[in-house]
Amino acid sequence: MTAQTKKRGAAENGDGGTGLGLAAFIANNEDLGPIVRHAFESGKPEALLHSLRNIVKMKEVEIEEICRLHYEEFILAVDELRGVLVDADELKGTLADENLRLQEVASALLLKLDELLELYSVNRSVGEALAMLKICLRVTSLCKICNRDIAEAKLHSALKTLELIEKDYLQNIPLKLLKKVIQKQIPIVKLYIEKKVCGEFNEWLVYIRRIGKEIGQAAIGQANLARQKDEGMRARQREAEECSSVGFDEHAYTLDVENMDEEAMLEFDLAPVYRAHHIHIGLGLGEKFREYYFNNRLMQLNLDLQISTSQPFLESHQPFLAQIAGFFIIEDRVLRTADGLLSESQVETMWETAISKVTSILEQQFSLMDTANHLINVNGYISLLGTTMKKYGYQATPLVEILGKNRDKYLELLISDCRKKIKDVLSQDSYERMVIKKKNEYDMNVAALQLEPIDVVPDLPYVAPFSCSVPSTYRIVRSFIEDLVRYLSYGSSMNSYDVVKSYLDKFLIEILNDRFLNLIHGGSVEFQQMVQIAGNIAVLERSCDMFLCHAAQLCGVPRHLLEKPHSGLTVKAVLKATQNAAYNRLITLVNSKVDEFMLQLTSINWTVEEAPEHANDYMNEVIIYLHDVVSSGQQIVPMDALYKVVTGALSHIADSIITILLSDRVKRFNANAVAGIDIDLKMLEGFADNTYHSTGLSDLRKETSFKDCLAETRQLINLLLSSQPESFMNPVTRETNYGSLDPKKVAIICDKFKDAPDSLFGSLSSRATVQSARKKSLDVLKRRLKDFS
């Protein structure tokens, strides 16, 4: 039967291959989509439907066959199912009974549950209300704290409270009205805080500008004290070094307790700045406040850089520079402590602006100054300003450079001032020895200046070897050294000692020495004044070493370096030469005065009939004058110079006598006139011999004594008064007795010498007169001198 069914199915299919493939696909649960799509695309859907129907019929047959084969099993299963249905009915009745009992028990519980749920709802509502109330109370409490802080000016705390309200509570406030009110008030409170802190900051701007000058003055004062302390330490160090070169001094190194105190801090209030900065940062306006601070301080700086027009710069420069210093000291503190309020670039910008303006102002003001003292006072304060600013980290090189630029002008003004002072001092001096009657005058004018190597005060009144201009000149030179060293110390890195030494040499040569030369060669100075000038030059020449020591001490150069060869001043040799010029001028002055006396020789009677018994008046005046020369010069002028002056004067007198005899003013003279000259000469020789020994000039052991200066005149007078003048022609006699005489001069003078007085008929009477042996000898000498010439 199965075989027949299969054959029939294949036959009914009409397309056994397609039907079998389709059946295989269905049996394998494969997708029939491609087959269906293919059938429709090929236009043969009927065949596919036919095959599907055949497969359905075939499956129905298979189902029937399976049912037939399992019929008994189905019946058994149905019976079991019926038994199960009976059990289910019994279980259902049991469940219904249990459900009834459960409902009866649960009804009371459900009522309790409803009450519990209602209580839970009320509890939740009350909790939520309490939580909302707690938040509102906390917010209102914070608002109250904020108001209290604002009232007490605790703005930073108030701002922190507002920040807490905004971040932690504002979004969680359950009451919309309260939330709206707080949201509206927070910006208003912040704006109030901002205005409040800005007002305090503006007040601080006024305060800090007012005390800026005081801060600058205090800082510059500290720099000045530090400089003085350093100078004192260097001075003590130099003293210790000098002591160590001689022997150890237990007091050379001592602890200076008085100078151990620390510098007082510059106190000023920056709290408003810190508060304003922090509050603006809290408000989110930090950058705005930083810009506001910088702009306001920059405007204040521009105002500080305006110099006063109501008073001279010399009077206003210290407040002006102190204000600048105070400004940047404040900015340095703000930069270091205000947590980013200022940047280094902003401070540098303000400093560059200020230093450019200050240097411009200083250059302009320096160009208008015409006094060295004004220039050094301003420069000193500028140097202190530079030192102060370096201490706070500012670049002060332009200030140092401007000092260097004005060095030549300062030196020019300083030298000009000192030249005027020295000119006034020397022109007002009477050049008389200074008489000191009081101890304080001696201490001030001699001991303090070390002008005399005397350890104890001499008996008063004390007659100094110099005039009143010497102490004044000494002070001027010391002041010049001190001012020059002080100026060079203002920021100069050069070797100041060499510069000071060079300018000191130049100063002493071009001003002091030249002024002395003008006095020496001016022609209006008398002998006594010239003597004192020479003495003053000698004192100042000796003081050159002290000038140099003073300069070395101020420059910090050890004293032992000054003892090296060629370490002294050139001016010493120049002053020596000037001193010699003064001595030569003394000789000229004495000789000039002697000439005034010697002019009287031309007015005496050269043909006097009787020999005089006393010296001529001119010689008395000459001797008196020479006594004054020796007495005044002996106290001041060195022995060598005095020797030159006296020998020059005596030689000049001797030459003057011979010159008069040779001149045309004396046509003839006789033996009586020669006898008068002999008396004059003997008187002069007595003075020369006495002075040479009494003054100690003989101790110089010179080859020529004072009397030797008169040798030529003495030999001429001896020849004219000789009984045998013709012996002059004897070489041995001439060499022995008349070695200083010139035969040509002797010939001229002998021609004028007439032994007898001349008269109207002298020639006639001479024919009748018997010539004496002396007359004959003189005539012989005249003839032989003519032959000799």
Side-chain angles (χ1 to χ4, degrees):
M1 181 176 181
T2 302
Q4 291 177 356
T5 302
K6 291 179 180 181
K7 289 180 181 180
R8 187 181 61 185
E12 291 176 357
N13 186 15
D15 189 359
T18 303
L20 292 175
L22 186 60
F25 272 96
I26 292 171
N28 294 330
N29 290 323
E30 294 183 5
D31 185 16
L32 299 180
I35 296 175
V36 174
R37 189 183 301 111
H38 177 72
F40 277 95
E41 288 177 356
S42 61
K44 298 178 178 182
E46 294 83 2
L48 178 62
L49 292 173
H50 181 70
S51 296
L52 291 173
R53 291 190 188 99
N54 289 333
I55 291 171
V56 170
K57 290 179 179 181
M58 184 176 62
K59 292 297 181 181
E60 289 177 352
V61 172
E62 290 179 357
I63 293 169
E64 291 177 357
E65 186 66 23
I66 291 172
C67 290
R68 187 181 62 78
L69 290 176
H70 298 285
Y71 176 75
E72 295 177 355
E73 295 176 1
F74 280 141
I75 292 173
L76 292 175
V78 170
D79 290 339
E80 290 179 1
L81 181 60
R82 289 182 179 275
V84 171
L85 289 174
V86 172
D87 293 337
D89 289 338
E90 292 178 357
L91 179 61
K92 181 178 178 182
T94 303
L95 290 174
D97 295 338
E98 292 295 331
N99 181 42
L100 181 61
R101 288 193 299 271
L102 181 63
Q103 287 181 355
E104 291 176 356
V105 175
S107 295
L109 295 176
L110 288 174
L111 293 175
K112 297 292 184 182
L113 179 61
D114 290 340
E115 293 176 1
L116 180 62
L117 292 176
E118 185 177 356
L119 291 175
Y120 280 157
S121 177
V122 172
N123 184 45
R124 185 173 62 253
S125 298
V126 171
E128 290 177 357
L130 289 174
M132 292 170 59
L133 182 59
K134 186 177 181 179
I135 292 173
C136 292
L137 287 174
R138 180 59 180 164
V139 170
T140 54
S141 176
L142 291 175
C143 292
K144 182 178 179 181
I145 292 172
C146 181
N147 290 335
R148 183 191 65 195
D149 290 339
I150 292 175
E152 295 177 357
K154 298 178 180 179
L155 303 181
H156 185 69
S157 177
L159 191 61
K160 288 293 183 182
T161 304
L162 285 177
E163 183 180 357
L164 181 62
I165 293 173
E166 281 187 302
K167 289 184 178 180
D168 296 344
Y169 295 97
L170 185 61
Q171 299 302 323
N172 299 323
I173 296 176
L175 295 179
K176 292 183 179 181
L177 181 59
L178 179 61
K179 182 177 181 180
K180 184 177 180 181
V181 171
I182 292 177
Q183 283 179 335
K184 180 180 179 180
Q185 289 299 320
I186 284 176
I188 296 174
V189 173
K190 285 184 177 181
L191 181 60
Y192 173 80
I193 292 174
E194 181 184 357
K195 290 182 178 179
K196 180 71 174 178
V197 78
C198 284
E200 293 179 357
F201 175 71
N202 290 334
E203 292 176 0
W204 178 85
L205 286 175
V206 176
Y207 152 80
I208 206 66
R209 184 165 187 262
R210 186 178 66 251
I211 70 166
K213 179 171 65 177
E214 299 174 6
I215 294 171
Q217 288 173 339
I220 293 174
Q222 290 179 358
N224 188 32
L225 290 176
R227 174 180 290 178
Q228 292 175 358
K229 181 178 178 181
D230 291 341
E231 291 175 355
M233 291 178 62
R234 286 194 295 268
R236 289 193 294 273
Q237 182 179 1
R238 288 193 297 269
E239 292 176 1
E241 291 174 354
E242 293 173 2
C243 290
S244 64
S245 63
V246 179
F248 181 73
D249 183 3
E250 62 179 355
H251 301 292
Y253 296 94
T254 57
L255 183 63
D256 189 357
V257 180
E258 294 181 358
N259 292 327
M260 292 297 291
D261 294 335
E262 295 291 334
E263 292 183 355
M265 293 296 293
L266 299 175
E267 297 296 339
F268 46 90
D269 186 15
L270 291 180
V273 179
Y274 302 148
R275 183 162 54 250
H277 186 213
H278 287 303
I279 288 175
H280 277 83
I281 291 176
L283 292 170
L285 303 173
E287 185 62 33
K288 176 183 176 182
F289 179 74
R290 284 189 284 270
E291 183 178 354
Y292 181 76
Y293 176 88
F294 178 74
N295 291 335
N296 276 274
R297 290 295 283 163
L298 190 59
M299 285 190 293
Q300 286 188 339
L301 176 61
N302 291 329
L303 291 175
D304 293 340
L305 291 172
Q306 303 297 322
I307 62 174
S308 173
T309 58
S310 61
Q311 59 183 152
F313 184 74
L314 185 65
E315 299 177 5
S316 64
H317 76 278
Q318 291 190 5
F320 169 71
L321 297 177
Q323 186 75 38
I324 302 300
F327 179 92
F328 285 99
I329 290 171
I330 295 168
E331 294 310 295
D332 175 73
R333 184 79 62 84
V334 171
L335 175 65
R336 290 186 289 107
T337 61
D339 192 21
L341 176 59
L342 274 178
S343 65
E344 291 186 4
S345 62
Q346 288 176 319
V347 177
E348 289 177 0
T349 299
M350 289 191 292
W351 174 248
E352 290 173 359
T353 301
I355 205 69
S356 175
K357 181 67 173 179
V358 168
T359 52
S360 175
I361 291 173
L362 291 176
E363 287 177 355
Q364 179 184 6
Q365 294 298 325
F366 283 155
S367 66
L368 302 176
M369 293 184 183
D370 56 359
T371 304
N373 190 37
H374 295 172
L375 197 63
I376 195 172
N377 287 338
V378 176
N379 277 313
Y381 209 77
I382 293 172
S383 174
L384 289 174
L385 173 65
T387 303
T388 303
M389 292 296 97
K390 285 181 181 178
K391 178 181 175 182
Y392 289 92
Y394 293 100
Q395 181 59 257
T397 303
L399 295 176
V400 178
E401 291 176 350
I402 198 171
L403 297 181
K405 290 179 181 178
N406 289 277
R407 190 185 75 175
D408 293 338
K409 179 176 182 178
Y410 171 73
L411 290 173
E412 180 182 346
L413 292 176
L414 180 61
I415 291 175
S416 177
D417 290 346
C418 292
R419 178 184 287 111
K420 184 177 182 300
K421 291 178 182 177
I422 287 181
K423 180 180 179 181
D424 293 341
V425 166
L426 295 182
S427 61
Q428 294 173 6
D429 193 0
S430 62
Y431 296 102
E432 297 178 356
R433 296 179 68 181
M434 193 173 181
V435 180
I436 299 175
K437 299 179 180 180
K438 298 180 181 180
K439 181 179 180 300
N440 61 341
E441 292 181 0
Y442 179 85
D443 294 338
M444 180 177 63
N445 294 310
V446 181
L449 304 180
Q450 300 179 358
L451 293 177
E452 281 292 310
I454 302 175
D455 296 332
V456 296
V457 179
D459 295 335
L460 299 177
Y462 169 73
V463 181
F466 48 80
S467 63
C468 62
S469 65
V470 170
S472 299
T473 301
Y474 196 103
R475 292 189 186 92
I476 293 171
V477 176
R478 282 176 64 97
S479 175
F480 172 82
I481 296 171
E482 292 165 359
D483 289 344
L484 183 56
V485 171
R486 183 152 60 103
Y487 185 90
L488 295 177
S489 66
Y490 293 156
S492 178
S493 59
M494 65 181 68
N495 186 346
S496 59
Y497 172 71
D498 291 339
V499 177
V500 172
K501 179 182 175 183
S502 174
Y503 277 102
L504 178 60
D505 236 347
K506 181 180 180 181
F507 171 76
L508 293 176
I509 292 173
E510 296 184 359
I511 297 179
L512 184 61
N513 184 72
D514 287 357
R515 186 60 188 170
F516 278 129
L517 288 175
N518 291 336
L519 289 173
I520 291 170
H521 300 298
S524 60
V525 180
E526 297 180 356
F527 173 80
Q528 286 78 8
Q529 293 176 316
M530 186 58 64
V531 169
Q532 191 59 64
I533 289 172
N536 291 352
I537 294 173
V539 173
L540 292 172
E541 185 268 332
R542 291 193 301 270
S543 299
C544 287
D545 292 335
M546 287 185 285
F547 294 148
L548 198 59
C549 287
H550 186 57
Q553 183 180 9
L554 294 177
C555 296
V557 176
R559 186 183 296 271
H560 64 84
L561 295 180
L562 303 180
E563 299 174 358
K564 293 183 178 181
H566 309 294
S567 62
L569 294 172
T570 307
V571 72
K572 290 188 68 175
V574 177
L575 287 174
K576 281 280 190 183
T578 303
Q579 192 176 3
N580 291 331
Y583 297 149
N584 293 333
R585 180 61 178 168
L586 285 175
I587 296 173
T588 302
L589 289 174
V590 172
N591 292 344
S592 176
K593 190 65 175 179
V594 167
D595 285 339
E596 295 180 9
F597 300 131
M598 297 304 292
L599 286 176
Q600 299 179 31
L601 272 173
T602 59
S603 62
I604 67 172
N605 187 358
W606 289 98
T607 57
V608 63
E609 295 184 2
E610 295 182 2
E613 297 179 358
H614 304 286
N616 290 301
D617 292 337
Y618 81 92
M619 185 54 65
N620 292 324
E621 294 178 356
V622 167
I623 298 299
I624 293 172
Y625 177 70
L626 291 179
H627 272 296
D628 291 341
V629 168
V630 173
S631 61
S632 59
Q634 189 177 4
Q635 299 171 350
I636 299 175
V637 178
M639 300 299 284
D640 284 337
L642 183 60
Y643 171 81
K644 292 179 181 179
V645 171
V646 178
T647 54
L650 293 174
S651 298
H652 187 68
I653 293 170
D655 292 341
S656 298
I657 294 174
I658 295 177
T659 300
I660 290 295
L661 293 175
L662 291 171
S663 68
D664 294 337
R665 294 180 181 180
V666 179
K667 303 298 183 179
R668 56 181 295 181
F669 60 92
N670 58 21
N672 293 331
V674 174
I677 298 298
D678 181 52
I679 296 173
D680 296 341
L681 191 57
K682 286 179 180 179
M683 185 177 179
L684 187 61
E685 288 173 337
F687 163 80
D689 195 44
N690 181 59
T691 301
Y692 187 66
H693 292 90
S694 64
T695 57
L697 292 172
S698 59
D699 296 338
L700 298 176
R701 300 188 182 281
K702 298 288 186 178
E703 295 180 357
T704 303
S705 67
F706 288 171
K707 196 172 181 179
D708 293 338
C709 298
L710 306 172
E712 183 180 6
T713 306
R714 168 47 61 195
Q715 291 176 9
L716 178 61
I717 298 301
N718 288 343
L719 176 63
L720 295 176
L721 296 178
S722 174
S723 59
Q724 294 181 342
E726 62 179 326
S727 62
F728 176 78
M729 300 308 300
N730 185 334
V732 177
T733 304
R734 185 168 66 247
E735 182 68 24
T736 303
N737 299 325
Y738 309 108
S740 300
L741 294 179
D742 182 0
K744 294 182 179 180
K745 293 181 180 180
V746 173
I748 297 171
I749 292 172
C750 287
D751 283 341
K752 297 181 180 182
F753 182 60
K754 306 295 182 179
D755 197 17
D758 200 5
S759 64
L760 182 60
F761 303 102
S763 59
L764 297 177
S765 61
S766 62
R767 293 176 184 174
T769 304
V770 179
Q771 294 182 348
S772 64
R774 181 172 175 277
K775 172 77 169 141
K776 292 179 180 179
S777 178
L778 183 60
D779 292 340
V780 171
L781 175 61
K782 292 178 181 180
R783 288 194 301 270
R784 296 187 63 181
L785 283 172
K786 291 180 180 180
D787 297 337
F788 181 80
S789 60

